[in-house]
PDB file of all heavy atoms in Angstrom:
ATOM      1  N   GLY L   1     -19.398  -0.444  -3.263  1.00  0.00           N
ATOM      2  CA  GLY L   1     -18.664   0.484  -4.102  1.00  0.00           C
ATOM      3  C   GLY L   1     -17.310   0.875  -3.546  1.00  0.00           C
ATOM      4  O   GLY L   1     -16.649   1.763  -4.104  1.00  0.00           O
ATOM      5  N   GLU L   2     -16.857   0.221  -2.484  1.00  0.00           N
ATOM      6  CA  GLU L   2     -15.568   0.553  -1.875  1.00  0.00           C
ATOM      7  C   GLU L   2     -14.412  -0.200  -2.527  1.00  0.00           C
ATOM      8  O   GLU L   2     -13.258   0.231  -2.437  1.00  0.00           O
ATOM      9  CB  GLU L   2     -15.602   0.232  -0.385  1.00  0.00           C
ATOM     10  CG  GLU L   2     -16.643   1.024   0.382  1.00  0.00           C
ATOM     11  CD  GLU L   2     -16.883   0.475   1.779  1.00  0.00           C
ATOM     12  OE1 GLU L   2     -16.661  -0.740   1.988  1.00  0.00           O
ATOM     13  OE2 GLU L   2     -17.305   1.249   2.652  1.00  0.00           O
ATOM     14  N   MET L   3     -14.737  -1.346  -3.139  1.00  0.00           N
ATOM     15  CA  MET L   3     -13.721  -2.171  -3.777  1.00  0.00           C
ATOM     16  C   MET L   3     -14.223  -2.625  -5.138  1.00  0.00           C
ATOM     17  O   MET L   3     -15.389  -2.430  -5.479  1.00  0.00           O
ATOM     18  CB  MET L   3     -13.385  -3.396  -2.895  1.00  0.00           C
ATOM     19  CG  MET L   3     -12.683  -3.077  -1.600  1.00  0.00           C
ATOM     20  SD  MET L   3     -12.321  -4.572  -0.612  1.00  0.00           S
ATOM     21  CE  MET L   3     -11.214  -5.471  -1.711  1.00  0.00           C
ATOM     22  N   SER L   4     -13.315  -3.227  -5.893  1.00  0.00           N
ATOM     23  CA  SER L   4     -13.649  -3.820  -7.186  1.00  0.00           C
ATOM     24  C   SER L   4     -13.258  -5.293  -7.132  1.00  0.00           C
ATOM     25  O   SER L   4     -12.501  -5.715  -6.251  1.00  0.00           O
ATOM     26  CB  SER L   4     -12.899  -3.105  -8.311  1.00  0.00           C
ATOM     27  OG  SER L   4     -13.217  -3.652  -9.569  1.00  0.00           O
ATOM     28  N   ILE L   5     -13.784  -6.089  -8.046  1.00  0.00           N
ATOM     29  CA  ILE L   5     -13.397  -7.499  -8.082  1.00  0.00           C
ATOM     30  C   ILE L   5     -11.905  -7.622  -8.374  1.00  0.00           C
ATOM     31  O   ILE L   5     -11.192  -8.399  -7.746  1.00  0.00           O
ATOM     32  CB  ILE L   5     -14.213  -8.269  -9.139  1.00  0.00           C
ATOM     33  CG1 ILE L   5     -15.699  -8.306  -8.744  1.00  0.00           C
ATOM     34  CG2 ILE L   5     -13.688  -9.674  -9.315  1.00  0.00           C
ATOM     35  CD1 ILE L   5     -15.975  -9.053  -7.452  1.00  0.00           C
ATOM     36  N   VAL L   6     -11.415  -6.838  -9.332  1.00  0.00           N
ATOM     37  CA  VAL L   6     -10.000  -6.875  -9.704  1.00  0.00           C
ATOM     38  C   VAL L   6      -9.396  -5.489  -9.507  1.00  0.00           C
ATOM     39  O   VAL L   6      -9.971  -4.479  -9.920  1.00  0.00           O
ATOM     40  CB  VAL L   6      -9.814  -7.312 -11.169  1.00  0.00           C
ATOM     41  CG1 VAL L   6      -8.334  -7.353 -11.525  1.00  0.00           C
ATOM     42  CG2 VAL L   6     -10.454  -8.672 -11.407  1.00  0.00           C
ATOM     43  N   GLY L   7      -8.238  -5.450  -8.882  1.00  0.00           N
ATOM     44  CA  GLY L   7      -7.543  -4.194  -8.630  1.00  0.00           C
ATOM     45  C   GLY L   7      -6.395  -4.439  -7.670  1.00  0.00           C
ATOM     46  O   GLY L   7      -6.205  -5.561  -7.181  1.00  0.00           O
ATOM     47  N   PRO L   8      -5.603  -3.435  -7.372  1.00  0.00           N
ATOM     48  CA  PRO L   8      -4.523  -3.606  -6.386  1.00  0.00           C
ATOM     49  C   PRO L   8      -5.098  -3.993  -5.023  1.00  0.00           C
ATOM     50  O   PRO L   8      -6.075  -3.398  -4.573  1.00  0.00           O
ATOM     51  CB  PRO L   8      -3.872  -2.216  -6.336  1.00  0.00           C
ATOM     52  CG  PRO L   8      -4.277  -1.548  -7.607  1.00  0.00           C
ATOM     53  CD  PRO L   8      -5.633  -2.072  -7.944  1.00  0.00           C
ATOM     54  N   ARG L   9      -4.517  -4.978  -4.389  1.00  0.00           N
ATOM     55  CA  ARG L   9      -5.018  -5.410  -3.088  1.00  0.00           C
ATOM     56  C   ARG L   9      -4.842  -4.295  -2.063  1.00  0.00           C
ATOM     57  O   ARG L   9      -3.792  -3.640  -1.999  1.00  0.00           O
ATOM     58  CB  ARG L   9      -4.265  -6.649  -2.615  1.00  0.00           C
ATOM     59  CG  ARG L   9      -4.686  -7.924  -3.314  1.00  0.00           C
ATOM     60  CD  ARG L   9      -6.078  -8.350  -2.923  1.00  0.00           C
ATOM     61  NE  ARG L   9      -6.168  -8.667  -1.494  1.00  0.00           N
ATOM     62  CZ  ARG L   9      -7.294  -8.624  -0.789  1.00  0.00           C
ATOM     63  NH1 ARG L   9      -8.417  -8.230  -1.365  1.00  0.00           N
ATOM     64  NH2 ARG L   9      -7.305  -8.941   0.473  1.00  0.00           N
ATOM     65  N   PRO L  10      -5.863  -4.052  -1.225  1.00  0.00           N
ATOM     66  CA  PRO L  10      -5.738  -3.003  -0.203  1.00  0.00           C
ATOM     67  C   PRO L  10      -4.811  -3.446   0.923  1.00  0.00           C
ATOM     68  O   PRO L  10      -4.847  -4.600   1.351  1.00  0.00           O
ATOM     69  CB  PRO L  10      -7.183  -2.841   0.294  1.00  0.00           C
ATOM     70  CG  PRO L  10      -7.820  -4.177   0.064  1.00  0.00           C
ATOM     71  CD  PRO L  10      -7.183  -4.722  -1.187  1.00  0.00           C
ATOM     72  N   HIS L  11      -3.975  -2.540   1.379  1.00  0.00           N
ATOM     73  CA  HIS L  11      -3.051  -2.819   2.476  1.00  0.00           C
ATOM     74  C   HIS L  11      -3.566  -2.205   3.770  1.00  0.00           C
ATOM     75  O   HIS L  11      -4.187  -1.138   3.748  1.00  0.00           O
ATOM     76  CB  HIS L  11      -1.657  -2.259   2.169  1.00  0.00           C
ATOM     77  CG  HIS L  11      -0.974  -2.953   1.035  1.00  0.00           C
ATOM     78  ND1 HIS L  11       0.173  -2.465   0.442  1.00  0.00           N
ATOM     79  CD2 HIS L  11      -1.264  -4.107   0.381  1.00  0.00           C
ATOM     80  CE1 HIS L  11       0.554  -3.281  -0.525  1.00  0.00           C
ATOM     81  NE2 HIS L  11      -0.308  -4.276  -0.581  1.00  0.00           N
ATOM     82  N   ALA L  12      -3.292  -2.880   4.858  1.00  0.00           N
ATOM     83  CA  ALA L  12      -3.640  -2.332   6.169  1.00  0.00           C
ATOM     84  C   ALA L  12      -2.840  -1.061   6.435  1.00  0.00           C
ATOM     85  O   ALA L  12      -1.775  -0.837   5.838  1.00  0.00           O
ATOM     86  CB  ALA L  12      -3.381  -3.370   7.260  1.00  0.00           C
ATOM     87  N   LEU L  13      -3.334  -0.235   7.349  1.00  0.00           N
ATOM     88  CA  LEU L  13      -2.747   1.090   7.558  1.00  0.00           C
ATOM     89  C   LEU L  13      -1.296   1.042   8.018  1.00  0.00           C
ATOM     90  O   LEU L  13      -0.501   1.889   7.654  1.00  0.00           O
ATOM     91  CB  LEU L  13      -3.589   1.866   8.581  1.00  0.00           C
ATOM     92  CG  LEU L  13      -5.077   2.062   8.252  1.00  0.00           C
ATOM     93  CD1 LEU L  13      -5.700   3.013   9.259  1.00  0.00           C
ATOM     94  CD2 LEU L  13      -5.250   2.591   6.835  1.00  0.00           C
ATOM     95  N   ARG L  14      -0.949   0.047   8.790  1.00  0.00           N
ATOM     96  CA  ARG L  14       0.404  -0.007   9.347  1.00  0.00           C
ATOM     97  C   ARG L  14       1.240  -1.118   8.714  1.00  0.00           C
ATOM     98  O   ARG L  14       2.166  -1.635   9.332  1.00  0.00           O
ATOM     99  CB  ARG L  14       0.327  -0.199  10.869  1.00  0.00           C
ATOM    100  CG  ARG L  14      -0.404   0.939  11.575  1.00  0.00           C
ATOM    101  CD  ARG L  14      -0.428   0.724  13.086  1.00  0.00           C
ATOM    102  NE  ARG L  14       0.919   0.677  13.644  1.00  0.00           N
ATOM    103  CZ  ARG L  14       1.634   1.745  13.965  1.00  0.00           C
ATOM    104  NH1 ARG L  14       1.132   2.949  13.782  1.00  0.00           N
ATOM    105  NH2 ARG L  14       2.837   1.617  14.476  1.00  0.00           N
ATOM    106  N   THR L  15       0.918  -1.469   7.475  1.00  0.00           N
ATOM    107  CA  THR L  15       1.667  -2.522   6.785  1.00  0.00           C
ATOM    108  C   THR L  15       3.114  -2.080   6.546  1.00  0.00           C
ATOM    109  O   THR L  15       3.368  -0.951   6.132  1.00  0.00           O
ATOM    110  CB  THR L  15       1.014  -2.874   5.441  1.00  0.00           C
ATOM    111  OG1 THR L  15      -0.322  -3.322   5.680  1.00  0.00           O
ATOM    112  CG2 THR L  15       1.782  -3.977   4.730  1.00  0.00           C
ATOM    113  N   THR L  16       4.035  -2.980   6.789  1.00  0.00           N
ATOM    114  CA  THR L  16       5.459  -2.677   6.613  1.00  0.00           C
ATOM    115  C   THR L  16       6.098  -3.709   5.691  1.00  0.00           C
ATOM    116  O   THR L  16       5.558  -4.786   5.451  1.00  0.00           O
ATOM    117  CB  THR L  16       6.206  -2.683   7.956  1.00  0.00           C
ATOM    118  OG1 THR L  16       6.072  -3.988   8.562  1.00  0.00           O
ATOM    119  CG2 THR L  16       5.639  -1.634   8.894  1.00  0.00           C
ATOM    120  N   ALA L  17       7.267  -3.362   5.191  1.00  0.00           N
ATOM    121  CA  ALA L  17       8.077  -4.282   4.390  1.00  0.00           C
ATOM    122  C   ALA L  17       9.513  -4.137   4.857  1.00  0.00           C
ATOM    123  O   ALA L  17      10.089  -3.050   4.783  1.00  0.00           O
ATOM    124  CB  ALA L  17       7.957  -3.948   2.903  1.00  0.00           C
ATOM    125  N   GLY L  18      10.071  -5.204   5.358  1.00  0.00           N
ATOM    126  CA  GLY L  18      11.433  -5.135   5.880  1.00  0.00           C
ATOM    127  C   GLY L  18      11.553  -4.209   7.071  1.00  0.00           C
ATOM    128  O   GLY L  18      12.608  -3.608   7.286  1.00  0.00           O
ATOM    129  N   GLY L  19      10.464  -4.060   7.829  1.00  0.00           N
ATOM    130  CA  GLY L  19      10.490  -3.212   9.016  1.00  0.00           C
ATOM    131  C   GLY L  19      10.236  -1.744   8.740  1.00  0.00           C
ATOM    132  O   GLY L  19      10.242  -0.924   9.664  1.00  0.00           O
ATOM    133  N   ARG L  20      10.009  -1.355   7.501  1.00  0.00           N
ATOM    134  CA  ARG L  20       9.759   0.052   7.148  1.00  0.00           C
ATOM    135  C   ARG L  20       8.369   0.205   6.573  1.00  0.00           C
ATOM    136  O   ARG L  20       7.841  -0.695   5.923  1.00  0.00           O
ATOM    137  CB  ARG L  20      10.788   0.541   6.132  1.00  0.00           C
ATOM    138  CG  ARG L  20      12.225   0.508   6.610  1.00  0.00           C
ATOM    139  CD  ARG L  20      13.171   0.861   5.476  1.00  0.00           C
ATOM    140  NE  ARG L  20      12.923   2.215   4.964  1.00  0.00           N
ATOM    141  CZ  ARG L  20      13.388   2.662   3.809  1.00  0.00           C
ATOM    142  NH1 ARG L  20      14.097   1.852   3.021  1.00  0.00           N
ATOM    143  NH2 ARG L  20      13.144   3.895   3.408  1.00  0.00           N
ATOM    144  N   MET L  21       7.767   1.374   6.809  1.00  0.00           N
ATOM    145  CA  MET L  21       6.459   1.657   6.255  1.00  0.00           C
ATOM    146  C   MET L  21       6.531   1.672   4.727  1.00  0.00           C
ATOM    147  O   MET L  21       7.532   2.094   4.148  1.00  0.00           O
ATOM    148  CB  MET L  21       5.935   2.996   6.771  1.00  0.00           C
ATOM    149  CG  MET L  21       5.724   3.033   8.282  1.00  0.00           C
ATOM    150  SD  MET L  21       4.431   1.896   8.832  1.00  0.00           S
ATOM    151  CE  MET L  21       2.971   2.676   8.108  1.00  0.00           C
ATOM    152  N   CYS L  22       5.460   1.193   4.102  1.00  0.00           N
ATOM    153  CA  CYS L  22       5.460   1.067   2.641  1.00  0.00           C
ATOM    154  C   CYS L  22       5.750   2.397   1.960  1.00  0.00           C
ATOM    155  O   CYS L  22       6.489   2.451   0.962  1.00  0.00           O
ATOM    156  CB  CYS L  22       4.104   0.530   2.169  1.00  0.00           C
ATOM    157  SG  CYS L  22       3.747  -1.146   2.739  1.00  0.00           S
ATOM    158  N   GLU L  23       5.172   3.493   2.465  1.00  0.00           N
ATOM    159  CA  GLU L  23       5.372   4.808   1.853  1.00  0.00           C
ATOM    160  C   GLU L  23       6.835   5.232   1.881  1.00  0.00           C
ATOM    161  O   GLU L  23       7.288   6.004   1.030  1.00  0.00           O
ATOM    162  CB  GLU L  23       4.532   5.872   2.564  1.00  0.00           C
ATOM    163  CG  GLU L  23       3.025   5.634   2.475  1.00  0.00           C
ATOM    164  CD  GLU L  23       2.521   4.777   3.623  1.00  0.00           C
ATOM    165  OE1 GLU L  23       3.342   4.029   4.223  1.00  0.00           O
ATOM    166  OE2 GLU L  23       1.324   4.842   3.921  1.00  0.00           O
ATOM    167  N   ASP L  24       7.598   4.730   2.868  1.00  0.00           N
ATOM    168  CA  ASP L  24       9.006   5.087   2.988  1.00  0.00           C
ATOM    169  C   ASP L  24       9.890   4.251   2.066  1.00  0.00           C
ATOM    170  O   ASP L  24      11.009   4.645   1.747  1.00  0.00           O
ATOM    171  CB  ASP L  24       9.474   4.912   4.441  1.00  0.00           C
ATOM    172  CG  ASP L  24       8.723   5.823   5.401  1.00  0.00           C
ATOM    173  OD1 ASP L  24       8.307   6.917   4.954  1.00  0.00           O
ATOM    174  OD2 ASP L  24       8.540   5.446   6.572  1.00  0.00           O
ATOM    175  N   VAL L  25       9.385   3.099   1.643  1.00  0.00           N
ATOM    176  CA  VAL L  25      10.173   2.202   0.799  1.00  0.00           C
ATOM    177  C   VAL L  25      10.024   2.571  -0.676  1.00  0.00           C
ATOM    178  O   VAL L  25      11.000   2.626  -1.421  1.00  0.00           O
ATOM    179  CB  VAL L  25       9.749   0.738   1.016  1.00  0.00           C
ATOM    180  CG1 VAL L  25      10.514  -0.190   0.064  1.00  0.00           C
ATOM    181  CG2 VAL L  25       9.987   0.334   2.462  1.00  0.00           C
ATOM    182  N   VAL L  26       8.790   2.838  -1.120  1.00  0.00           N
ATOM    183  CA  VAL L  26       8.494   3.132  -2.525  1.00  0.00           C
ATOM    184  C   VAL L  26       7.808   4.488  -2.611  1.00  0.00           C
ATOM    185  O   VAL L  26       6.709   4.660  -2.075  1.00  0.00           O
ATOM    186  CB  VAL L  26       7.591   2.041  -3.144  1.00  0.00           C
ATOM    187  CG1 VAL L  26       7.319   2.351  -4.613  1.00  0.00           C
ATOM    188  CG2 VAL L  26       8.226   0.670  -2.994  1.00  0.00           C
ATOM    189  N   ASP L  27       8.445   5.441  -3.279  1.00  0.00           N
ATOM    190  CA  ASP L  27       7.872   6.786  -3.334  1.00  0.00           C
ATOM    191  C   ASP L  27       6.609   6.842  -4.189  1.00  0.00           C
ATOM    192  O   ASP L  27       5.818   7.774  -4.074  1.00  0.00           O
ATOM    193  CB  ASP L  27       8.906   7.796  -3.843  1.00  0.00           C
ATOM    194  CG  ASP L  27       9.447   7.437  -5.224  1.00  0.00           C
ATOM    195  OD1 ASP L  27       9.092   6.356  -5.752  1.00  0.00           O
ATOM    196  OD2 ASP L  27      10.227   8.238  -5.769  1.00  0.00           O
ATOM    197  N   ARG L  28       6.404   5.841  -5.076  1.00  0.00           N
ATOM    198  CA  ARG L  28       5.205   5.801  -5.917  1.00  0.00           C
ATOM    199  C   ARG L  28       4.082   4.989  -5.288  1.00  0.00           C
ATOM    200  O   ARG L  28       3.097   4.672  -5.945  1.00  0.00           O
ATOM    201  CB  ARG L  28       5.556   5.196  -7.278  1.00  0.00           C
ATOM    202  CG  ARG L  28       6.598   5.970  -8.068  1.00  0.00           C
ATOM    203  CD  ARG L  28       6.829   5.330  -9.426  1.00  0.00           C
ATOM    204  NE  ARG L  28       7.363   3.979  -9.305  1.00  0.00           N
ATOM    205  CZ  ARG L  28       7.433   3.096 -10.303  1.00  0.00           C
ATOM    206  NH1 ARG L  28       6.980   3.441 -11.500  1.00  0.00           N
ATOM    207  NH2 ARG L  28       7.945   1.901 -10.129  1.00  0.00           N
ATOM    208  N   TYR L  29       4.240   4.662  -4.026  1.00  0.00           N
ATOM    209  CA  TYR L  29       3.310   3.749  -3.368  1.00  0.00           C
ATOM    210  C   TYR L  29       1.855   4.215  -3.475  1.00  0.00           C
ATOM    211  O   TYR L  29       0.953   3.438  -3.791  1.00  0.00           O
ATOM    212  CB  TYR L  29       3.704   3.592  -1.899  1.00  0.00           C
ATOM    213  CG  TYR L  29       2.766   2.730  -1.101  1.00  0.00           C
ATOM    214  CD1 TYR L  29       2.824   1.344  -1.195  1.00  0.00           C
ATOM    215  CD2 TYR L  29       1.813   3.294  -0.247  1.00  0.00           C
ATOM    216  CE1 TYR L  29       1.958   0.542  -0.463  1.00  0.00           C
ATOM    217  CE2 TYR L  29       0.951   2.508   0.480  1.00  0.00           C
ATOM    218  CZ  TYR L  29       1.028   1.125   0.368  1.00  0.00           C
ATOM    219  OH  TYR L  29       0.164   0.338   1.090  1.00  0.00           O
ATOM    220  N   SER L  30       1.599   5.495  -3.234  1.00  0.00           N
ATOM    221  CA  SER L  30       0.222   5.997  -3.192  1.00  0.00           C
ATOM    222  C   SER L  30      -0.452   6.000  -4.567  1.00  0.00           C
ATOM    223  O   SER L  30      -1.669   6.126  -4.647  1.00  0.00           O
ATOM    224  CB  SER L  30       0.195   7.420  -2.613  1.00  0.00           C
ATOM    225  OG  SER L  30       0.554   7.403  -1.257  1.00  0.00           O
ATOM    226  N   ARG L  31       0.310   5.832  -5.643  1.00  0.00           N
ATOM    227  CA  ARG L  31      -0.312   5.824  -6.971  1.00  0.00           C
ATOM    228  C   ARG L  31      -1.204   4.607  -7.179  1.00  0.00           C
ATOM    229  O   ARG L  31      -2.067   4.610  -8.043  1.00  0.00           O
ATOM    230  CB  ARG L  31       0.770   5.865  -8.053  1.00  0.00           C
ATOM    231  CG  ARG L  31       1.560   7.157  -8.050  1.00  0.00           C
ATOM    232  CD  ARG L  31       2.551   7.183  -9.199  1.00  0.00           C
ATOM    233  NE  ARG L  31       3.494   8.276  -9.048  1.00  0.00           N
ATOM    234  CZ  ARG L  31       4.525   8.486  -9.842  1.00  0.00           C
ATOM    235  NH1 ARG L  31       4.732   7.673 -10.868  1.00  0.00           N
ATOM    236  NH2 ARG L  31       5.359   9.493  -9.641  1.00  0.00           N
TER     237      ARG L  31
END
């Protein structure tokens, strides 16, 4: 019950994009 077959792929806790944390790049990230 932690995941679904289809849905947004889970990201690792320290995943970055372009050297920045995902939450800092996209303000809607947590949605």
Side-chain angles (χ1 to χ4, degrees):
E2 298 167 334
M3 292 180 62
S4 181
I5 295 297
V6 180
R9 284 291 297 156
H11 293 168
L13 303 188
R14 299 181 61 83
T15 300
T16 59
R20 299 174 61 195
M21 297 295 292
C22 295
E23 297 89 338
D24 298 330
V25 176
V26 181
D27 58 355
R28 299 183 297 167
Y29 177 78
S30 293
R31 295 184 192 175

